[in-house]
Amino acid sequence: MHVNRWGKVLFVVCLGILMFLFIEDTTLAKGQIKISVEEGIDGKVKEGRGFPLKVTVENTGSDFKGDLLFDYAPSYQTGGARALSIDVPANSERTYTFSIPGFNDEIRHNSNLQTIHLFEGSWENGKEVTFKGDKRLTPNFIYTNNTTIGLLSENPDRLKGIKGSTMGGNRVEALTLSKDTFPEEQGGLQMFDYIVLDQFNVTGLSQEQQGVLKSWVENGGVLFIGAAPHLEDTLGSVADMAPLSQQEEATLSDTSSFNVKKNIKASFSSLSVFEGKVKQEAEVVAEQGGIPIVAKSARGLGEVWQTTFSLGDPALNEWEDYDEWFANMLSKTEPYFLLGQNNGDQSFLERIYYEVADSNELFPSTNFKVSTLVIILLLYLVIIVPILYFLLRKMDKREQAWWIIPAISILVSSGIFITGAKDRISKPHLNQMNILKVEDDRSAHGISAFTALSNTGGDYDFVSDRNHLELTPARMRNNPGGGNQYKFAVEELNKDQRTITFRDVEYWSTRTVLGTGEKEDLGKFIPELNMKDKTISGTIQNDFPYDFTDVYIWSGSRIYRVGEVKAGKTLSVDKKLSTDYLSSPIGNPNMSAPFPNQQSMKQQKKERLENFASQMISSDNETNSPVIFGYTEAEVFDMSIKNKVSKSENFSLLYQHFPSLGTYKGAFTLRSEQLDPDVKPVDGQIIEHYSHSGADEMGLEDGTYEMTIQLPKQIDLSKVALHSLNMTLHSGGVLKFSLVEPYTGEKFPLEETSAGALEVNENVNNYLNGNGEIVFEFEKRSQGDPFVRLPAIVLKGEVQP
């Protein structure tokens, strides 16, 4: 009894010590680590897009090493956590800056959800501990229908006119950037639609920051550059992107070019400018007396606009219409396609997943035909019943049937299983899909998706080059959004690599990462083509290091296959076309119902790639020009699964624009598909652009829009005479059109000459501008229903000899 009592006492003491140690252990960090977080710029971020973070870690205790994990969820279908390794000595404070792919409303509004997690030691092997300070990210949201502009200026107060502008009827959010707040990772600039650079020394930014700015433009950003003394010496990494090379300072004494609309009139009579020479690849947007005022150039998927005056000039700031003038200039830029600015609330990552990447999750399998299984079953029954019976009877071994019959059954079943699953047992599979736009300088930019099919359970680490790929984990369809993102996937970055670890992957399951991809000096097609009598002939040289299984020419709604070509080889072309002129691709004529059973897996992927490529091309900043594209099964980007040898299957679409060929002479009839229609909001919002099978079907809010059509480049503008313009309306009075005079901006309403028909038979040339464009303005009034179909257009004329 005495021994028993002492045993109980000893047990209680030990239990108390253990409880003390446990409490001490879990509260270790709570007493010594405090986390403070600054999200985005001025506490604001754009919904569903990447943004920078500034994290301050204060340690009032002993030395601490560990990992901080920050949950993110840019969209319903994507999410994970970013790992940040911290090393904070005793009684010290350290600040870290990095970026995460974004937040959506679901994760932001859940106030009970902790999105910051601290681990003592590594997140993989360490122990999660509590801490003081910020437990979750709580940024102020700028929603997707609002435009975000980053201001880079030594004196941002001079840009107050820009801060007051609107875009598509929505307020512009202008946020000031500086060397201290400018991100050093590509994802940090995703929150901006535009960046205005005015009297700012870019060379003062770090090499990483300058690289991020350049990459941001090439992946779809729009950069505005204002004039300043010795500008070219201050532009750093973006100097070669500027459309103007600046020269001497001068005074503009005629400012009528600023009168872009009836209600926008310049209140100043002179303006200080720096006369600039337009670079070969650039285009003049506005000029005055032969002096370029505004110019632009296409860079990758983005644009660079440049003015010959400072955007913060005092004369502009005193002009009450400056905000509307600048908004008018914004409306002429191409939409930021990859970030889905003109596609309602749908995240661009969501679009990439549902329109491309989910087809990347299809893997080949060995399927037995029913007839094969029936034959196997019949043979099995024949062997088991009569043959085995007579064989055992002859050998007088019938008593052995009890184990022979089950053994044969197991062997047959195992054979069927191994035959059907052999490809999935030996190693994981890794699929890669890309759509890349190729530039004249051999660089390429676009979207990428990678999917692994596991062959065992456990963690799977996707390892890629962080300088070429900006990737985010896609969540499984049955487990989207919400909290505890860090339990699903963790992203880690070092100097050159990005590692995304999917945790506790199930046996024979898929995991996908997706986002944007870019590569310098990738290669290009070199076309030497001629067009005559509706026949295109010549050669296309493959200057890529990849073989192409199929090469096509895409003009209007027609896609013409011209052959296959090996790396470094030349393809001969002799193809009869259905038209006399080449134009920008419209729609995807091959897009059919999703995944018919009779389609091959490759055909399904081709349709997805071509459909998404058509959207990228329609939002391109190129003028009305055709496209060469090809399919390659080469590994364009390096991607591996750590500590595993995978079986890779790659399928990528690479496209590039090329000039229209020759000069067309004689009468012509141009229809919508050869005129490259483009719609931009003036006072409204584009909800969705379907462009299905060439029919321009759109979802538009009620409001005012600008529609532009452009003649093919083969038509010499100096010799063209336009005879008639006919439009057939499909929307039953919902759209009211006006023609816009190109130099005064005056609008001429078009009245229906018959039911659903608009005709202009006189002075059509008066509405053709110097870029071969005719501009319409239309009002959309349907009291709620967003669906419209743009009119069918027929433009007739003649190119005189």
Side-chain angles (χ1 to χ4, degrees), residues 10 78 106 173 197 289 356 381 461 496 503 568 592 763 777:
L10 185 61
T78 57
E106 181 183 8
E173 289 275 358
L197 196 160
V356 178
L381 292 174
D461 299 347
D496 298 314
R503 307 178 70 175
S592 58
N763 302 321
E777 188 171 281

Side-chain angles (χ1 to χ4, degrees), residues 437-461:
K437 179 191 176 189
V438 179
E439 304 294 335
D440 286 340
D441 64 1
R442 300 166 55 89
S443 66
H445 307 84
I447 66 163
S448 301
F450 303 84
T451 300
L453 174 66
S454 65
N455 67 322
T456 61
D459 291 354
Y460 277 72
D461 299 347

Side-chain angles (χ1 to χ4, degrees), residues 282-482:
E283 174 187 335
V284 175
V285 179
E287 64 179 2
Q288 186 75 59
I291 300 174
I293 302 300
V294 182
K296 69 173 182 177
S297 61
R299 300 300 300 200
L301 297 171
E303 292 181 340
V304 179
W305 289 58
Q306 187 175 358
T307 60
T308 54
F309 51 88
S310 169
L311 291 164
D313 191 286
L316 295 174
N317 278 316
E318 292 170 6
W319 179 27
E320 63 178 9
D321 292 332
Y322 182 37
D323 56 343
E324 292 196 39
W325 178 88
F326 189 77
N328 178 260
M329 188 159 67
L330 287 182
S331 71
K332 297 181 184 302
T333 63
E334 290 298 331
Y336 198 1
F337 172 78
L338 283 183
L339 296 188
Q341 181 175 315
N342 282 342
N343 288 276
D345 293 332
Q346 191 177 28
S347 159
F348 83 107
L349 293 170
E350 206 90 333
R351 295 177 60 214
I352 293 173
Y353 181 78
Y354 284 112
E355 296 182 34
V356 178
D358 67 345
S359 68
N360 201 41
E361 296 177 342
L362 300 173
F363 289 86
S365 59
T366 304
N367 294 318
F368 289 96
K369 294 181 180 178
V370 173
S371 58
T372 304
L373 289 174
V374 169
I375 291 170
I376 292 172
L377 180 60
L378 289 174
L379 289 173
Y380 170 74
L381 292 174
V382 167
I383 291 172
I384 287 294
V385 181
I387 295 178
L388 186 62
Y389 174 80
F390 287 112
L391 187 63
L392 292 178
R393 183 180 179 185
K394 187 175 181 179
M395 297 173 63
D396 198 21
K397 298 286 186 180
R398 281 173 291 179
E399 70 278 5
Q400 301 297 323
W402 70 270
W403 67 268
I404 293 176
I405 292 174
I408 293 174
S409 301
I410 291 170
L411 284 173
V412 172
S413 300
S414 299
I416 293 173
F417 173 77
I418 291 170
T419 302
K422 62 181 184 297
D423 284 341
R424 301 190 177 195
I425 295 174
S426 58
K427 59 182 67 172
H429 289 224
L430 183 61
N431 283 354
Q432 174 176 169
M433 289 175 74
N434 304 285
I435 304 173
L436 300 174
K437 179 191 176 189
V438 179
E439 304 294 335
D440 286 340
D441 64 1
R442 300 166 55 89
S443 66
H445 307 84
I447 66 163
S448 301
F450 303 84
T451 300
L453 174 66
S454 65
N455 67 322
T456 61
D459 291 354
Y460 277 72
D461 299 347
F462 285 63
V463 182
S464 61
D465 187 327
R466 64 175 290 184
N467 300 309
H468 291 161
L469 294 164
E470 188 74 22
L471 301 173
T472 302
R475 296 187 64 87
M476 295 175 291
R477 283 178 183 261
N478 61 351
N479 187 25

Side-chain angles (χ1 to χ4, degrees), residues 124-181:
E124 293 174 289
N125 306 312
K127 175 172 60 243
E128 186 169 1
V129 292
T130 56
F131 56 92
K132 294 187 292 186
D134 295 332
K135 303 292 194 304
R136 58 192 306 269
L137 300 178
T138 56
N140 293 317
F141 260 22
I142 300 170
Y143 288 98
T144 53
N145 57 349
N146 285 344
T147 299
T148 46
I149 299 181
L151 304 178
L152 271 175
S153 177
E154 302 295 349
N155 187 4
D157 290 340
R158 296 175 75 250
L159 300 173
K160 61 183 180 181
I162 293 173
K163 294 179 181 180
S165 56
T166 61
M167 179 72 170
N170 294 304
R171 189 166 61 93
V172 164
E173 289 275 358
L175 305 174
T176 302
L177 288 162
S178 66
K179 176 176 172 55
D180 293 335
T181 60

Side-chain angles (χ1 to χ4, degrees), residues 22-35 57-59 64 67-68 86 114 116-120 127-135 486:
F22 176 76
I23 294 170
E24 179 71 19
D25 190 46
T26 58
T27 59
L28 172 68
K30 187 171 184 178
Q32 66 177 19
I33 299 296
K34 181 181 178 182
I35 307 295
V57 183
E58 184 182 352
N59 182 8
F64 185 88
D67 284 342
L68 271 170
I86 61 173
Q114 182 173 336
I116 304 173
H117 314 275
L118 178 64
F119 288 80
E120 189 174 11
K127 175 172 60 243
E128 186 169 1
V129 292
T130 56
F131 56 92
K132 294 187 292 186
D134 295 332
K135 303 292 194 304
Y486 74 109

Side-chain angles (χ1 to χ4, degrees), residues 426-672:
S426 58
K427 59 182 67 172
H429 289 224
L430 183 61
N431 283 354
Q432 174 176 169
M433 289 175 74
N434 304 285
I435 304 173
L436 300 174
K437 179 191 176 189
V438 179
E439 304 294 335
D440 286 340
D441 64 1
R442 300 166 55 89
S443 66
H445 307 84
I447 66 163
S448 301
F450 303 84
T451 300
L453 174 66
S454 65
N455 67 322
T456 61
D459 291 354
Y460 277 72
D461 299 347
F462 285 63
V463 182
S464 61
D465 187 327
R466 64 175 290 184
N467 300 309
H468 291 161
L469 294 164
E470 188 74 22
L471 301 173
T472 302
R475 296 187 64 87
M476 295 175 291
R477 283 178 183 261
N478 61 351
N479 187 25
N484 294 330
Q485 305 288 337
Y486 74 109
K487 293 183 179 179
F488 175 69
V490 176
E491 174 188 6
E492 297 175 277
L493 271 69
N494 59 29
K495 184 178 180 182
D496 298 314
Q497 287 186 330
R498 170 182 280 102
T499 300
I500 295 178
T501 301
F502 287 96
R503 307 178 70 175
D504 300 323
V505 177
E506 305 84 2
Y507 195 84
W508 283 1
S509 294
T510 60
R511 291 294 187 273
T512 297
V513 295
L514 52 88
T516 58
E518 62 178 308
K519 213 164 189 181
E520 301 297 320
D521 198 28
L522 183 71
K524 65 178 180 178
F525 293 114
I526 303 176
E528 294 186 6
L529 300 169
N530 295 295
M531 189 169 173
K532 187 177 181 181
D533 299 328
K534 295 186 179 180
T535 299
I536 189 166
S537 59
T539 61
I540 299 174
Q541 182 182 340
N542 176 11
D543 197 30
F544 292 94
Y546 316 126
D547 298 342
F548 285 86
T549 56
D550 298 279
V551 179
Y552 300 86
I553 290 174
W554 193 348
S555 173
S557 61
R558 303 295 182 94
I559 295 178
Y560 306 92
R561 186 181 187 275
V562 292
E564 60 181 90
V565 62
K566 301 285 187 184
K569 301 297 182 181
T570 299
L571 171 65
S572 295
V573 177
D574 187 11
K575 196 77 177 177
K576 188 76 174 175
L577 308 184
S578 61
T579 179
D580 288 302
Y581 12 74
L582 299 175
S583 56
S584 182
I586 292 180
N588 178 16
N590 293 333
M591 194 63 186
S592 58
F595 294 178
N597 292 331
Q598 68 270 23
Q599 275 191 320
S600 69
M601 192 179 300
K602 181 164 288 187
Q603 184 62 29
Q604 293 174 25
K605 291 182 177 182
K606 284 182 74 170
E607 290 192 357
R608 291 298 187 91
L609 290 172
E610 285 175 24
N611 185 55
F612 203 86
S614 74
Q615 297 178 58
M616 291 176 64
I617 293 167
S618 69
S619 296
D620 226 331
N621 40 36
E622 304 285 347
T623 52
N624 192 354
S625 58
V627 156
I628 297 172
F629 75 93
Y631 287 103
T632 179
E633 296 177 1
E635 186 180 30
V636 177
F637 292 106
D638 294 332
M639 173 66 77
S640 62
I641 301 175
K642 188 176 179 181
N643 299 327
K644 295 180 185 290
V645 178
S646 59
K647 180 181 179 181
S648 296
E649 291 195 16
N650 312 298
F651 199 49
S652 300
L653 185 157
L654 278 62
Y655 77 88
Q656 71 180 59
H657 289 265
F658 69 100
S660 290
L661 306 171
T663 303
Y664 179 78
K665 292 187 176 72
F668 60 79
T669 298
L670 297 172
R671 303 185 186 279
S672 295

Side-chain angles (χ1 to χ4, degrees), residues 707-720:
M707 182 179 78
T708 303
I709 59 174
Q710 184 174 42
L711 273 62
K713 291 298 181 183
Q714 284 165 266
I715 293 178
D716 188 343
L717 298 179
S718 65
K719 298 179 180 180
V720 70

